[in-house]
């Protein structure tokens, strides 16, 4: 399912903003996620330990992934919305297929950015990161306790 067709995407964006304004402690994240109806699940992801939690967003089949220190300080929270399966030209049958996929991925990022700006306002900073092989767009908003990023 496309990220912008997820049930409650605007509410999800507001909730993620609320997390960026919350204390960076796992207890506060647990309480906020519970208030949103996002339930923690035990991790069976390889390499994860007791400092990792995944919160399931109901009806969306998406997880908010949170890592934290032994003392309970949140280090990172990530909510993947969309990925591009054929991100490497080697995965495509032709250059044309790769270009079509890249164009679609760029359009989806632009829609995500527009939707985020409706909820969060304009980003603090937006830029394009390029290397020899590819380019990716990024935008950052300032929360009270951390940064909120949308990255391609």
């Amino acid at each position: 399912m496309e990220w912008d067709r997820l049930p409650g995407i605007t509410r999800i964006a507001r909730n993620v903003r609320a997390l960026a304004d919350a204390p960076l402690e796992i207890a506060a994240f647990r309480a906020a996620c519970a208030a949103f109806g996002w339930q923690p699940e035990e991790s069976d992801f390889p390499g994860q330990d007791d400092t990792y939690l995944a919160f399931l967003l109901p009806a969306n089949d998406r997880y908010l992934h949170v890592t934290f220190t032994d003392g309970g300080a949140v280090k990172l929270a990530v909510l993947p919305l969309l990925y591009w399966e054929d991100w490497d030209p080697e995965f495509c049958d032709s250059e044309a297929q790769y270009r079509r996929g890249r164009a679609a991925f760029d359009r989806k990022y632009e829609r995500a950015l527009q939707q985020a700006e409706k909820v969060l306002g304009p980003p603090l900073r937006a830029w394009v990161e390029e290397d020899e092989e590819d380019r990716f767009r990024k935008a950052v908003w300032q929360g009270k306790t951390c940064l909120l990023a949308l990255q391609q």
Side-chain angles (χ1 to χ4, degrees), residues 40-105:
E41 292 198 353
E42 292 299 319
S43 170
D44 59 357
F45 295 109
Q48 298 302 332
D49 57 21
D50 292 339
T51 59
Y52 169 83
L53 278 174
F55 293 89
L56 177 64
L57 283 62
N60 292 319
D61 296 327
R62 298 294 194 278
Y63 287 90
L64 172 71
H65 303 273
V66 181
T67 61
F68 49 95
T69 66
D70 288 333
V74 172
K75 295 191 294 186
L76 177 69
V78 177
L79 176 59
L81 297 175
L82 176 72
Y83 66 97
W84 177 25
E85 288 183 21
D86 298 329
W87 60 272
D88 189 321
E90 292 180 20
F91 302 151
C92 298
D93 294 332
S94 67
E95 179 66 26
Q97 178 188 7
Y98 174 79
R99 284 195 308 271
R100 283 191 306 273
R102 178 65 208 215
F105 191 55

Side-chain angles (χ1 to χ4, degrees), residues 10 16 25 46 49 76 89-90 107 112 119-120 129 135 139 148-149 151:
T10 300
V16 170
E25 297 179 3
D49 57 21
L76 177 69
E90 292 180 20
R107 284 190 304 273
V119 175
L120 306 172
E129 190 170 297
R135 65 180 165 65
L148 199 80
Q151 63 183 25

Side-chain angles (χ1 to χ4, degrees), residues 1-9 60 111:
M1 177 183 297
E2 296 291 327
W3 72 269
D4 55 350
R5 292 186 183 95
L6 291 174
I9 191 65
N60 292 319
R111 286 197 325 252

